[in-house]
Amino acid sequence: MGCIYTAQGLEYHHAGVIIGPDLTWRDNRWHADPSQSHDPQLRALPHDQYLRYALNTYRVLLTRGTHATRITSTDPTTHHMLSRLLPPPHPPETPGTENPGRLGR
């Protein structure tokens, strides 16, 4: 586990990102709540400025995994939206058990 300050500039084979209560999906758009940030210096930012910062922060975190990235949210509504956008991960297939009717990934 890490944060933007430890992950920036690094890459990981597998990454996991937990979107916290500072960034939620409501009314078909992202909403920011700087008071939910764990960084005391960011809590005083206006909502619109914090939203830009949060979206960029999560973008950086989501691009650190070179092979796989898992994403979840602590907010149920946001988690539901993400689960509709992103299919669940598929376990790797065992050689010789490929389904000939399935298209490649």
Side-chain angles (χ1 to χ4, degrees), residues 26-47:
R26 297 285 187 276
D27 303 319
N28 291 318
R29 66 184 191 95
W30 290 108
H31 291 266
D33 185 354
S35 70
Q36 295 293 318
S37 175
H38 288 278
D39 190 332
Q41 295 177 343
L42 301 177
R43 290 185 192 141
L45 291 177
H47 283 76

Side-chain angles (χ1 to χ4, degrees), residues 6 28 52 61 85:
T6 60
N28 291 318
R52 288 190 303 273
L61 294 172
L85 288 177

Side-chain angles (χ1 to χ4, degrees), residues 3-55:
C3 67
I4 186 64
Y5 303 113
T6 60
Q8 196 169 14
L10 300 176
E11 291 181 341
Y12 303 97
H13 197 264
H14 290 84
V17 177
I18 301 169
I19 298 177
D22 63 321
L23 186 65
T24 56
W25 183 259
R26 297 285 187 276
D27 303 319
N28 291 318
R29 66 184 191 95
W30 290 108
H31 291 266
D33 185 354
S35 70
Q36 295 293 318
S37 175
H38 288 278
D39 190 332
Q41 295 177 343
L42 301 177
R43 290 185 192 141
L45 291 177
H47 283 76
D48 60 332
Q49 187 176 356
Y50 184 81
L51 177 61
R52 288 190 303 273
Y53 177 83
L55 289 172

Side-chain angles (χ1 to χ4, degrees), residues 67-87:
H67 288 77
T69 299
R70 299 274 179 117
I71 180 172
T72 190
S73 175
T74 59
D75 175 67
T77 303
T78 304
H79 181 81
H80 178 71
M81 182 275 297
L82 292 170
S83 67
R84 293 181 65 209
L85 288 177
L86 305 169

